[in-house]
Amino acid sequence: MHIYYMILVCLVMLSIGKPYTLTVRYVLAGILLFVVAALRGESVDRDYQGYIERYADAVYGDFWNIEPSFRLLATAVHYFFDDPFWLFLIYAGLGISIKLVAFKQLTNHKMTTLVVYFSGFFLLWEMTQIRVAVAGGIMLLSVAALRDRNAIKYFIFCSLASLFHYAALVMFLLYFINGSSINRLLYILLVPAAGLLLKASVDIVDLAGFAPIELVELKIRSYETYKDVSDNIYNYVFLARCLFAYFLLANADLLAGKNRYFVVLLKLYFLGLFCHLAFASVPAVSFRLGEFFLVVEVLLIPMQIDVFKSKPIGYFAAVMASLIFLMFSLHYQELLGPFYVSPAFT
């Protein structure tokens, strides 16, 4: 597992340097992440073998229980390369490159954002949930259009993201978010309101019949079958995220003055916390919707640097948060096994 810590150290080292070398360092960091995600062996993550099976079903069988983009890419890979290794390479390239563009657009702390991104969501998405990794990247790319009230551009992003993962359909509901100001009282009460919904036993499965696509309804109902009632919703990570959200909310005026996208990102963060708690009756739905919004965390953690008068304190806090995320992902969640390069590449 030491290689993942070495990658974190490399990213931290790349974040140090003169401003005129920033572009080179940023591209090198992106290439490093791409190589790790694209060349991993099939037993490194939990979902690799499942995607191999879905690839075979999409190519050789009549398999429709997945998003259109996967069927299209699987068919193209089979036609041109006849090797599913290239499917993972394409998804890694799409997911990472889209996020690199989004991070460059949304924050002045690009390198620190990459450090935080690697420690949590890179391991979860690029190394495991490759479809939502691309959809989530497109969602981040849409934040600028959402903030600027560019309806055509935003809905194009919504449609593209939905082709990669149906969880992105929720993006269509976000267009009316006000990106210039925030009602503090409303967002203070949002998480407690989610707790009340959970306490009232509002079951999302009861709403599955209203899903606009039959496959989405089937997925929601299937998640009910595999739910684990032992899941601890109020875990340390969730509580820490709540504290961080309220810390950002308390400093919203300062941070909104530093970054014009901060208000939108903070609102998405609160929505992620809300979904995680309100839909906890079906943990798989709670997790997927919650994490889809909570990915903005990789941008918000570096933004807290601007709260501190001493910038090194802010950078140190971001790096320590990254280290904690990495340890939690590897040793508690056990997202990944020991890294090795896919034999298909060698």
Side-chain angles (χ1 to χ4, degrees), residues 255-272:
L255 292 171
K258 298 284 186 178
N259 188 304
R260 72 187 305 267
Y261 304 113
F262 171 78
V263 170
V264 175
L265 295 172
L266 182 58
K267 289 182 175 181
L268 293 177
Y269 196 58
F270 269 99
L271 286 175

Side-chain angles (χ1 to χ4, degrees), residues 77-106:
V77 165
H78 176 68
Y79 179 81
F80 289 105
F81 306 107
D82 194 21
D83 188 341
F85 165 77
W86 289 89
L87 185 69
F88 295 94
L89 188 145
I90 291 171
Y91 269 99
L94 287 173
I96 293 170
S97 61
I98 290 172
K99 291 183 187 70
L100 288 175
V101 174
F103 294 161
K104 183 178 180 181
Q105 187 176 49
L106 297 175

Side-chain angles (χ1 to χ4, degrees), residues 76-262:
V77 165
H78 176 68
Y79 179 81
F80 289 105
F81 306 107
D82 194 21
D83 188 341
F85 165 77
W86 289 89
L87 185 69
F88 295 94
L89 188 145
I90 291 171
Y91 269 99
L94 287 173
I96 293 170
S97 61
I98 290 172
K99 291 183 187 70
L100 288 175
V101 174
F103 294 161
K104 183 178 180 181
Q105 187 176 49
L106 297 175
T107 182
N108 294 322
H109 304 290
K110 294 184 288 292
M111 291 303 305
T112 309
T113 296
L114 282 182
V115 172
V116 179
Y117 160 63
F118 166 75
S119 300
F121 280 87
F122 174 85
L123 303 183
L124 176 64
W125 281 4
E126 257 68 34
M127 297 290 283
T128 308
Q129 301 170 356
I130 59 176
R131 287 150 43 233
V132 77
V134 179
I138 297 172
M139 187 274 288
L140 291 174
L141 202 59
S142 75
V143 167
L146 181 60
R147 173 63 177 83
D148 296 336
R149 316 304 302 158
N150 188 332
I152 295 177
K153 189 175 181 180
Y154 178 72
F155 287 122
I156 288 174
F157 281 132
C158 293
S159 302
L160 287 174
S162 301
L163 292 176
F164 282 92
H165 202 285
Y166 286 134
L169 288 169
V170 299
M171 291 172 59
F172 286 98
L173 305 177
L174 304 178
Y175 179 71
F176 297 102
I177 283 182
N178 182 349
S180 59
S181 63
I182 186 167
N183 184 328
R184 281 184 170 80
L185 179 60
L186 173 63
Y187 283 87
I188 286 173
L189 297 176
L190 195 60
V191 176
L196 291 176
L197 287 175
L198 178 61
K199 191 72 174 177
S201 299
V202 176
D203 197 336
I204 189 175
V205 176
D206 295 335
L207 306 176
F210 296 99
I213 299 175
E214 183 180 4
L215 177 56
V216 177
E217 177 186 353
L218 293 174
K219 282 184 174 293
I220 293 174
R221 295 193 184 279
S222 69
Y223 289 150
E224 169 75 6
T225 304
Y226 297 103
K227 74 177 182 180
D228 183 357
V229 295
S230 67
D231 287 345
N232 179 18
I233 299 301
Y234 297 99
N235 54 52
Y236 290 121
V237 173
F238 176 74
L239 295 176
R241 280 171 162 166
C242 289
L243 289 175
F244 180 61
Y246 287 121
F247 167 78
L248 294 175
L249 188 61
N251 293 278
D253 290 339
L254 170 65
L255 292 171
K258 298 284 186 178
N259 188 304
R260 72 187 305 267
Y261 304 113
F262 171 78

